[in-house]
Amino acid sequence: MRTREGGRTVDEAAVIARVRAGEPEAYAELVRAHTGIALRAAVALGAGADAEDVVQQAFVKAYCALGRFREGSAFKPWLLSIVANEARNTVRTAVRQRTLIGREAAFREAEPLIPEAADPAVATLRTERRTALLAALEQLSEEHRLVVTYRYLLEMDESETAQALGWPRGTVKSRLNRALRRLNRLLPDLRPQEEGREGREGREGREGREGGGKRA
């Protein structure tokens, strides 16, 4: 498997083979390639200020478990499943709860910066939507929050999400659908405008037909 993270392409299978063959320093290539997305995952899953510690511990555990890594599998979702476990343990044992503001600030730091040439209005809208999304995610169950985070915040495909969560792909689909329906109720203002217009037209059409039926 090849992965492209942080502007570099890494042949994961070749690197893992080198580590298993007694070249532990090769593991640094996997660390460099996946640190960015691992930090984003840790922050999105609530690690907050401890995100770097969570990621560091996850990389250590992944290294120690490389002997059990299934050949031919993708490294990223496997790593992120370890990050998720570490983040979960950190959140559960934290002395203080992270505030939404703190998580949002950490998430911004973990993401690539918006280009300076970007429209300020677009950048502001993006920030507002992300803040609203993070607040809504707090209201989801843990399994729904995880599947939305992996699929959309971390932009993983369905197969990678299934591997990271240890779920069948059918389970990913069904839980994602339920999570998105819940988010649609929590975040009506974030629905695409076209979808909202079509939805209104559909409702108006139904109401017109129903009204006509009643008058008849």
Side-chain angles (χ1 to χ4, degrees), residues 35-55 80 83-84 86-88 91 103 107 110 149 154:
T35 292
I37 195 168
L39 280 171
R40 290 182 63 197
V43 171
L45 295 173
D50 294 324
E52 290 188 3
D53 292 337
V54 164
V55 170
L80 293 184
V83 172
E86 289 300 307
R88 188 180 300 114
V91 170
R103 183 181 292 195
F107 198 73
T149 295
L154 302 180

XYZ file of all heavy atoms in Angstrom, residues 35-55 80 83-84 86-88 91 103 107 110 149 154:
229
model
N 1.645 11.748 10.953
C 1.493 12.573 12.148
C 0.361 13.588 11.997
O -0.441 13.791 12.923
C 2.809 13.301 12.481
O 3.784 12.337 12.890
C 2.606 14.295 13.623
N 0.263 14.231 10.837
C -0.760 15.259 10.643
C -2.168 14.739 10.836
O -2.945 15.281 11.623
N -2.513 13.665 10.151
C -3.869 13.152 10.252
C -4.118 12.521 11.624
O -5.239 12.552 12.144
C -4.170 12.140 9.126
C -5.691 11.911 9.041
C -3.423 10.837 9.313
C -6.113 11.159 7.796
N -3.067 11.964 12.243
C -3.222 11.405 13.585
C -3.549 12.502 14.595
O -4.394 12.322 15.483
C -1.954 10.660 13.996
N -2.901 13.667 14.452
C -3.204 14.799 15.334
C -4.630 15.295 15.126
O -5.342 15.585 16.093
C -2.208 15.936 15.079
C -0.831 15.793 15.728
C 0.108 16.871 15.210
C -0.944 15.873 17.250
N -5.039 15.398 13.880
C -6.410 15.827 13.601
C -7.409 14.854 14.206
O -8.441 15.254 14.760
C -6.629 15.929 12.095
C -5.891 17.080 11.425
C -6.209 17.137 9.946
N -7.634 17.407 9.722
C -8.246 17.186 8.564
N -7.585 16.650 7.553
N -9.516 17.479 8.437
N -7.130 13.569 14.100
C -8.028 12.570 14.668
C -8.098 12.698 16.184
O -9.186 12.668 16.777
C -7.554 11.166 14.285
N -6.944 12.850 16.828
C -6.912 12.945 18.289
C -7.691 14.162 18.770
O -8.454 14.095 19.739
C -5.468 13.009 18.780
N -7.511 15.291 18.085
C -8.220 16.516 18.465
C -9.716 16.360 18.235
O -10.541 16.692 19.083
C -7.666 17.719 17.683
C -8.537 18.949 17.900
C -6.239 18.027 18.128
N -10.080 15.857 17.058
C -11.494 15.698 16.729
C -12.193 14.745 17.680
O -13.394 14.876 17.936
C -11.644 15.203 15.296
N -11.453 13.801 18.245
C -12.039 12.823 19.158
C -11.936 13.251 20.615
O -12.226 12.472 21.515
C -11.368 11.460 18.954
C -11.613 10.849 17.569
C -10.781 9.596 17.372
C -13.089 10.540 17.366
N -11.522 14.502 20.848
C -11.614 15.067 22.182
C -10.353 15.113 23.011
O -10.406 15.473 24.187
N -9.192 14.786 22.430
C -7.964 14.768 23.224
C -7.493 16.160 23.616
O -6.747 16.329 24.571
C -6.847 14.041 22.472
N -7.916 17.177 22.852
C -7.588 18.560 23.195
C -6.099 18.807 23.328
O -5.305 18.441 22.469
N -5.714 19.413 24.448
C -4.315 19.777 24.669
C -3.408 18.558 24.784
O -2.185 18.674 24.676
C -4.194 20.631 25.924
N -3.995 17.383 25.012
C -3.199 16.157 25.134
C -3.037 15.437 23.802
O -2.535 14.304 23.769
C -3.860 15.204 26.137
C -3.844 15.764 27.550
O -2.845 16.421 27.907
O -4.823 15.544 28.295
N -3.459 16.059 22.699
C -3.441 15.380 21.404
C -2.050 14.877 21.032
O -1.898 13.756 20.539
C -3.979 16.316 20.317
N -1.024 15.696 21.250
C 0.325 15.271 20.879
C 0.764 14.059 21.688
O 1.391 13.136 21.152
C 1.305 16.427 21.063
C 1.128 17.554 20.049
C 2.234 18.591 20.143
O 3.161 18.396 20.953
O 2.174 19.576 19.394
N 0.432 14.052 22.979
C 0.779 12.898 23.811
C 0.043 11.651 23.347
O 0.598 10.544 23.331
C 0.437 13.182 25.277
C 1.329 14.248 25.888
O 2.452 14.451 25.360
O 0.914 14.881 26.870
N -1.244 11.838 22.986
C -2.042 10.719 22.491
C -1.413 10.131 21.231
O -1.272 8.911 21.100
C -3.492 11.173 22.212
C -4.234 10.145 21.344
C -4.239 11.385 23.518
N -1.035 11.002 20.308
C -0.452 10.542 19.045
C 0.889 9.860 19.280
O 1.185 8.809 18.689
C -0.307 11.727 18.070
C 0.523 11.330 16.847
C -1.687 12.207 17.627
N -5.118 4.838 13.092
C -6.151 5.710 13.642
C -7.067 4.974 14.618
O -7.653 5.595 15.508
C -6.962 6.346 12.522
C -6.191 7.343 11.657
C -7.109 7.988 10.633
C -5.518 8.415 12.510
N -5.151 5.438 17.697
C -5.311 6.828 18.137
C -6.660 7.006 18.821
O -6.763 7.650 19.871
C -5.182 7.795 16.943
C -5.550 9.218 17.361
C -3.767 7.774 16.380
N -7.711 6.442 18.235
C -9.054 6.570 18.815
C -9.117 5.965 20.209
O -9.714 6.542 21.125
C -10.086 5.907 17.903
N -6.605 5.571 22.298
C -5.827 6.408 23.202
C -6.580 7.692 23.549
O -6.577 8.135 24.696
C -4.478 6.757 22.563
C -3.511 5.596 22.480
C -3.177 5.040 23.848
O -2.774 5.813 24.738
O -3.357 3.818 24.039
N -7.226 8.295 22.542
C -7.998 9.513 22.788
C -9.153 9.224 23.739
O -9.446 10.006 24.649
C -8.528 10.082 21.470
N -9.817 8.099 23.531
C -10.942 7.724 24.396
C -10.479 7.564 25.841
O -11.128 8.040 26.778
C -11.566 6.426 23.886
C -12.856 6.037 24.596
C -13.410 4.736 24.033
N -13.692 4.852 22.611
C -13.039 4.185 21.658
N -12.045 3.368 21.978
N -13.362 4.341 20.397
N -9.733 11.050 27.320
C -10.942 11.806 27.656
C -11.582 11.253 28.928
O -12.043 12.013 29.780
C -11.947 11.757 26.480
C -13.292 12.326 26.895
C -11.394 12.534 25.290
N -11.419 22.944 22.058
C -11.307 21.926 21.020
C -11.250 22.568 19.640
O -10.491 22.154 18.775
C -12.483 20.953 21.093
C -12.361 19.837 20.071
C -13.522 18.875 20.108
N -13.543 18.102 21.338
C -14.270 17.001 21.500
N -15.032 16.559 20.523
N -14.252 16.349 22.647
N -8.299 22.206 16.976
C -8.588 21.646 15.664
C -8.071 22.558 14.561
O -7.544 22.100 13.553
C -10.097 21.440 15.518
C -10.464 20.497 14.406
C -10.251 19.140 14.550
C -11.013 20.972 13.227
C -10.589 18.260 13.539
C -11.346 20.095 12.215
C -11.138 18.736 12.369
N -4.421 22.041 14.146
C -4.069 20.753 13.550
C -4.371 20.697 12.068
O -3.914 19.807 11.373
C -4.823 19.628 14.259
N -16.630 11.430 12.080
C -15.275 11.982 12.165
C -14.353 11.342 11.137
O -13.633 12.026 10.402
C -14.698 11.776 13.573
O -15.468 12.530 14.513
C -13.245 12.247 13.641
N -11.870 13.497 8.706
C -10.570 12.954 8.320
C -10.550 12.478 6.868
O -9.525 12.002 6.385
C -10.190 11.794 9.247
C -10.125 12.168 10.737
C -9.735 10.949 11.558
C -9.127 13.297 10.964
